[in-house]
Amino acid sequence: MSSRSWLVVLLTVALTGALPPGTALAVDRPGGKQSFAVTVGQVAPKGTTPTGKEFSRLAMYYFDPDGVVRQAFWFWSWNQGYPAATIGASSAGCDNCKIHTAGGFQTGAEVKELRGRYTTTGDKLAVNWDGGATESWTVARPEPGISVISLTGSSYGANVGQGYGSNIRNTVAVQLKDIPKKYYPGRYSYNAYDAKTGKLVSGTGTSGINLSLPEWKQCNGNCLSAGVEITDPESTACTACKPGEKRAIRYYLASEGGRKNFYEHFCTCLLQGSAACYNGGSHLKPQLQVIDDSGRFRGWVGVEAQHRIANRGTIAVHWYTDV
């Protein structure tokens, strides 16, 4: 459009408050970034009892310059059970076991969609989804090439959320063999069923994925795996192990291509007899890769949906990044 044409547009807006048909003013994208890998959920406040209505959602948000926002997402509700799903990748080359993910994240599972509009004002992002749901976020630019959005409120119960955005194509992904072997710190917020007390509990804390540990092995092009012994006597991990049993965790990190990664882990003391593979209630954590403008891998956003039975197991949101 010529400068004269834009002058006409601006005069029209000034005089009438309306744009000519077919004309739209550009909206600043959050942090100047087009697409965001996002985790969102509802977690009962610490010290309170979950209601059973909590949920987690893993998504890609796409911000168009005309103010339209689109979302492709996977959703898990705590009041519904999600049996584990076996993915195509395996740990062949390590212990030759099948790898699982939360039901609904496997290849071919439904990807839901939302559409709405957004506005940005300074470091604030407001999203209005078609149908009336709203979200508010803060926007940060911690370094060139990546932006971060943090959820501050919603109209539908979501109270925890974090997203990382860039202008790299959403088809760009990093192969497991090329992921830097380092520590990716982060946070998690969860709702869980305490099998010992029979009560629903909630909490939040710091966590991470430590690929720098020497136990991590490249099983094959689609899988990394590690068996890590718990040596900290104060650790609360693997409390299901009986006295005298070695406390250790088996981890799998797998891919079938693209930004989706499959993270699974379980306590090895739960293996039955001489079996090398576990088919019980492992921790199932769907994840999306965080990638900056240069195509560098920066970590993951994810959820945990380890509840084959409604209101049991764990449902959570987390993010592990070096940003």
Side-chain angles (χ1 to χ4, degrees), residues 77 113 148 159 200 202 206 216 258 298:
S77 172
E113 296 182 355
V148 183
N159 58 359
L200 304 181
S202 61
T206 58
W216 280 99
R298 308 305 303 271

Side-chain angles (χ1 to χ4, degrees), residues 209-238:
I209 295 179
N210 191 359
L211 295 184
S212 70
L213 294 175
E215 290 89 346
W216 280 99
K217 306 297 182 184
Q218 185 85 42
C219 304
N220 54 66
N222 296 317
C223 177
L224 300 171
S225 183
V228 181
E229 185 175 356
I230 300 169
T231 58
D232 180 3
E234 302 299 320
S235 173
T236 59
C238 295

Side-chain angles (χ1 to χ4, degrees), residues 82 84-85 98-102 249-252 263-267 270 277-285 304-308 313-314:
Y82 297 88
K98 294 180 179 179
I99 298 173
H100 310 90
T101 191
I249 302 175
R250 168 60 61 181
Y251 295 93
Y252 301 112
Y263 187 41
E264 178 183 14
H265 58 86
F266 61 87
C267 298
L270 300 177
C277 302
Y278 180 62
N279 293 311
S282 57
H283 292 268
L284 305 172
K285 298 179 177 179
E304 179 170 359
Q306 186 263 320
H307 58 307
R308 294 173 294 175
T314 302

Side-chain angles (χ1 to χ4, degrees), residues 122-199:
D123 64 350
K124 308 298 182 184
L125 165 66
V127 176
N128 294 275
W129 299 109
D130 293 350
T134 63
E135 297 169 358
S136 56
W137 305 76
T138 58
V139 183
R141 303 184 188 187
E143 58 184 78
I146 198 162
S147 293
V148 183
I149 55 174
S150 301
L151 188 72
T152 56
S154 77
S155 65
Y156 59 92
N159 58 359
V160 181
Q162 185 89 338
Y164 296 84
S166 71
N167 290 320
I168 199 77
R169 298 189 311 277
N170 65 349
T171 55
V172 172
V174 177
Q175 297 183 53
L176 292 186
K177 66 180 181 62
D178 296 324
I179 290 178
K181 303 306 186 284
K182 57 190 287 186
Y183 180 67
Y184 296 90
R187 296 196 62 83
Y188 67 95
S189 297
Y190 67 91
N191 306 286
Y193 172 75
D194 188 328
K196 290 185 176 181
T197 64
K199 295 181 178 180

